Amino acid sequence: MDRANIVIIGGGVVGCAVARELSRRWSDVFLLEKMPRPGMGASTRNSGVIHSGIYYPTGSLKARLCVEGNRKLYEFCSAHAIPHRNCGKLVVANGAEQEAELERLAANGRANGVEGLQIVDRAAVRAREPHIEATAALAVPSTGILSAEDLVKGLARLAAEQGASVLTHAAVARLDPRADFIAVTLREGDPSESASVSEETVEARCVINCAGLFADEVAAMLGNRSYRIYPVRGEYCELVRSKSGLVKNLVYPMPDRGGLSLGVHLTKSLWGTVLVGPTADYIEDKNDYERNRLPVEEFVRRARPLLPELTAVDLQLAYSGIRAKLVPPGQKGYGDFVIARDSNVPRAIQLVGIESPGLTACLAIASHVATLVAEILD
Ligand SMILES: Cc1cc2nc3c(=O)[nH]c(=O)nc-3n(C[C@H](O)[C@H](O)[C@H](O)COP(=O)(O)OP(=O)(O)OC[C@H]3O[C@@H](n4cnc5c(N)ncnc54)[C@H](O)[C@@H]3O)c2cc1C
């Protein structure tokens, strides 16, 4: 392998979706993932929710690609037997102030093209969720859940079947733009066995940065230092089995006003377990999933407004994931996805800040990337 049409850096759900989309149209597509398997980053450390698109500013990439991605994902999951369920969700309000916010959220969702939104009263909430405290809720029928692990595997398998080379233990170490190609230097092999690691260079006509949390570092390899990713950890607890009946489906609070997260929510998984979380806290180290984990009491405090019966003995700590935020700590606001050709190296495409709803949007992101690749290769 010394020449390629397309090198995709990062085998998360986005890189795999991009590889699957591009290998339908172009030959010599390489997907390079530094970990032993695709999808070991944010792509399998999330809530597994197929979002509807209600939250994001109208016209933003997040809004457009989430609404389009939602539809595409249901079609894809049905066609390829990826476990999923279109269960809908409730965003609950408590009191007049939150009810007014709920109306604004519904209006935003409708403006984004989300269908079937309906404000329901306390009785309707109780009929669906007998243990949830709310004066009203927004019912969102197009929300669902899926098995993120099966989605990543399915996309990677289809890409490989279409001729893409999916390489794991393949870490991109250097990018060197030349006149007609980008020289991509990768380290292949298990880094814990240094004798097995070898370096190789590939000449790529097009390079696509899908490196998730590390997308700023990959962009910097091309000389582009305009991005900085701030890692924000999201931790989860799980309800003990005997209490999983307290929650029937997906229940969300009003989203965090600062735009940092959707708030600690309750997610009934495909396997009948109930996740409580994720929290949202800036951290220093992009690889730090476990240090200084929050105690279960903190989850009780945050989730009790939704589920007043919850006590600390009902919870056990579960996994965590790390969001790739573009908004720095202390600065409130909204960061959109960045998906664009690099301004100095136009045969490179940068995908930066692909936080939630990146799982939902992955297939729509892949179509969008394909139009940019066509500008470069056709
Ligand atoms: C706590 C949490 C909850 C979330 N919940 C949801 C949800 O319910 N619904 C939803 O739609 N979205 C959700 N998201 C967002 C979603 O998980 C992400 O948007 C999505 O997984 C991003 O995928 P990715 O492929 O860009 O990133 P990643 O999965 O992080 O993949 C990037 C890959 O690049 C690889 N890589 C990095 N550098 C290199 C290199 N130099 N060489 C080779 N490979 C490299 C990494 O190893 C990694 O596998 C959540 C995210 C978090 C953290």
Side-chain angles (χ1 to χ4, degrees), residues 78-333:
S78 299
H80 297 284
I82 308 294
H84 71 291
R85 192 167 68 229
N86 180 195
C87 51
K89 82 168 177 183
L90 293 174
V91 185
V92 305
N94 270 302
E97 197 183 322
Q98 287 197 348
E99 285 180 32
E101 282 179 40
L102 210 56
E103 295 283 357
R104 279 196 288 278
L105 190 59
N108 193 66
R110 290 188 189 107
N112 289 351
V114 180
E115 290 174 358
L117 297 174
Q118 215 190 341
I119 306 262
V120 297
D121 63 12
R122 180 187 175 82
V125 173
R126 284 283 173 161
R128 280 171 68 163
E129 293 285 353
H131 302 273
I132 295 297
E133 188 55 48
T135 52
L138 178 62
V140 188
S142 57
T143 302
I145 45 170
L146 54 59
S147 163
E149 202 153 328
D150 286 300
L151 176 64
V152 171
K153 272 193 205 148
L155 290 167
R157 181 177 48 77
L158 287 168
E161 282 170 12
Q162 289 166 179
S165 303
V166 179
L167 306 185
T168 53
H169 270 325
V172 171
R174 280 194 308 281
L175 296 170
D176 187 8
R178 308 268 173 81
D180 299 323
F181 60 87
I182 297 171
V184 180
T185 302
L186 58 137
R187 288 198 188 111
E188 280 186 283
D190 182 350
S192 64
E193 294 165 26
S194 54
S196 78
V197 177
S198 61
E199 255 193 25
E200 186 174 354
T201 299
V202 189
E203 296 177 359
R205 293 175 66 209
C206 171
V207 166
I208 305 171
N209 175 5
C210 297
L213 268 176
F214 301 88
D216 53 348
E217 295 170 34
V218 168
M221 291 181 197
L222 285 166
N224 186 338
R225 292 178 205 286
S226 54
Y227 306 115
R228 172 143 183 219
I229 287 176
Y230 301 90
V232 172
R233 187 159 75 192
E235 302 176 23
Y236 292 90
C237 269
E238 199 175 291
L239 281 186
V240 294
R241 267 280 172 194
S242 58
K243 292 296 173 85
S244 58
L246 289 177
V247 179
K248 308 289 173 207
N249 237 314
L250 310 188
V251 183
Y252 281 61
M254 293 305 296
D256 169 53
R257 282 221 178 112
L260 192 59
S261 76
L262 301 183
V264 165
H265 47 265
L266 308 169
T267 307
K268 187 104 180 193
S269 75
L270 285 171
W271 304 274
T273 52
V274 176
L275 288 172
V276 180
T279 54
D281 293 290
Y282 283 94
I283 53 170
E284 293 295 322
D285 177 356
K286 288 176 178 173
N287 297 304
D288 180 8
Y289 289 96
E290 289 300 328
R291 213 151 30 102
N292 301 327
R293 287 285 307 257
L294 294 166
V296 288
E297 288 74 14
E298 187 54 29
F299 289 83
V300 173
R301 192 182 68 74
R302 298 194 198 184
R304 240 194 199 147
L306 295 178
L307 187 58
E309 286 166 56
L310 190 67
T311 63
V313 291
D314 300 336
L315 288 174
Q316 59 204 21
L317 289 186
Y319 61 94
S320 67
I322 304 180
R323 303 169 180 86
K325 284 266 172 203
L326 283 169
V327 178
Q331 187 180 307
K332 291 196 170 170

Side-chain angles (χ1 to χ4, degrees), residues 9-16 32-35 37-51 170-173 210-215 218 221 232-236 252 265 278-279 320-324 337 354-361:
I9 305 170
V13 74
V14 173
C16 290
L32 308 180
E33 167 54 51
K34 69 179 177 183
M35 302 296 279
R37 283 194 317 277
M40 293 178 75
S43 295
T44 54
R45 292 172 163 274
N46 55 49
S47 304
V49 172
I50 306 174
H51 285 302
V172 171
C210 297
L213 268 176
F214 301 88
V218 168
M221 291 181 197
V232 172
R233 187 159 75 192
E235 302 176 23
Y236 292 90
Y252 281 61
H265 47 265
T279 54
S320 67
I322 304 180
R323 303 169 180 86
F337 292 158
I354 312 296
E355 49 159 335
S356 191
L359 177 71
T360 307

